[in-house]
Every structure is written in structure tokens, then in C-alpha cells.
């Protein structure tokens, strides 16, 4: 895939990775990372899966808005996207999956599902993960 770069950013992890610190070059992201309690950590920091789910949710909602603008559809003010990221073992090591729930109150179910399906084709996170991890889509109105 050829990419005409529009923006780039960088973050650096220090310490033990999952038990360390991450900071973006801009300084706007500056967080301790800790394994969640479910994985034996103290859970007093964020973790890569939380960061991924937050980025995916924000990006996907942006894609919903972009598709809606192109199709002259009004997205409700209380629209939201939640992304649940799971972490577990695979036959090759470890992996993740994602479950996206898009809530578009007030829209017709069929129209909302069409909008979400098109956003899934547009979203950079969806494009990066397509064929690499399981991603489930749910649309609520």
C-alpha cells in the first residue's frame, strides 16, 4: 500500500514496556504503564490494550462522521463508539481481538448499519487490523 503521508507522531516506551512509562514526543501523552490485575499487575497504570482501544474508538467515530458528511447524513450529538480489546494466547504467542459497538441513537437501524459498515472500510485502524485480528461490529440505534 502506498501512503501519501499527511501526519506522523511518535511515542517512546521506557522501563519494562508493560511495566514502565510511555510518552509522546509532543508531551500530550505521558502515562505509566502497568499490567492489569488480571495479568498479575497492580493495575495502577494504563496498558497497551487500553491505549489501542481508545485510539481505535476515537478514530472509528471520526470515520463515522466522515462518511456521514460525505453522504449528507446527520450524526446525533450523543453518538458514540466503544471498542473492547481482548488480550490472550494464540498458537504463536499472544494476540488481541476487538469488538466495536457504534451507538447512533435516532437513526434508522439499516441506515446506521450502512454508515458503520462504510466507516469500517474507511477507518485507518480497521484497515490496519483487517485480516490480522478478529473484529466484531455491532450497531445500536
Amino acid at each position: 500500500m502506498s501512503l501519501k503521508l499527511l501526519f506522523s507522531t511518535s511515542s517512546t516506551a521506557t522501563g519494562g514496556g508493560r511495566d514502565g512509562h510511555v510518552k509522546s514526543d509532543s508531551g500530550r501523552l505521558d502515562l505509566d504503564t502497568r499490567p492489569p490485575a488480571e495479568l498479575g499487575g497492580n493495575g495502577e497504570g494504563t496498558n497497551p490494550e487500553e491505549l489501542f482501544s481508545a485510539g481505535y474508538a476515537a478514530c472509528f467515530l471520526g470515520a463515522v462522521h466522515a462518511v456521514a458528511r460525505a453522504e449528507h447524513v446527520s450524526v446525533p450529538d450523543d453518538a458514540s463508539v466503544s471498542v473492547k480489546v481482548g488480550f490472550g494466547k494464540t498458537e504463536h504467542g499472544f494476540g488481541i481481538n476487538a469488538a466495536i459497538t457504534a451507538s447512533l441513537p435516532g437513526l434508522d437501524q439499516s441506515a446506521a448499519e450502512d454508515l458503520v459498515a462504510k466507516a469500517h472500510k474507511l477507518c485507518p485502524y480497521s484497515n490496519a487490523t483487517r485480516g490480522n485480528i478478529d473484529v466484531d461490529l455491532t450497531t445500536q440505534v
Side-chain angles (χ1 to χ4, degrees):
M1 172 177 77
S2 176
L3 180 67
K4 182 181 175 186
L5 192 62
L6 300 174
F7 169 77
S8 68
T9 188
S10 180
S11 295
T12 302
T14 56
R18 286 184 172 275
D19 197 3
H21 195 84
V22 292
K23 184 175 181 180
S24 65
D25 286 353
S26 70
R28 288 187 291 273
L29 180 70
D30 192 353
L31 303 167
D32 287 332
T33 53
R34 300 290 182 265
E38 297 87 347
L39 297 178
N42 66 17
E44 293 181 5
T46 190
N47 58 68
E49 292 72 32
E50 279 184 334
L51 295 168
F52 184 77
S53 73
Y56 203 163
C59 191
F60 198 94
L61 184 56
V64 168
H65 280 279
V67 170
R69 275 191 305 276
E71 297 194 358
H72 308 290
V73 174
S74 180
V75 174
D77 290 339
D78 56 350
S80 65
V81 170
S82 297
V83 177
K84 180 178 182 178
V85 172
F87 171 86
K89 292 184 178 183
T90 70
E91 66 269 13
H92 303 292
F94 294 96
I96 61 171
N97 63 14
I100 300 169
T101 302
S103 177
L104 302 169
L107 290 184
D108 170 76
Q109 182 71 36
S110 178
E113 288 174 357
D114 183 59
L115 195 64
V116 168
K118 289 176 180 174
H120 191 43
K121 290 181 181 177
L122 179 67
C123 176
Y125 276 67
S126 292
N127 288 328
T129 60
R130 188 169 288 110
N132 297 312
I133 69 170
D134 291 334
V135 177
D136 293 322
L137 286 178
T138 301
T139 306
Q140 299 173 341
V141 293

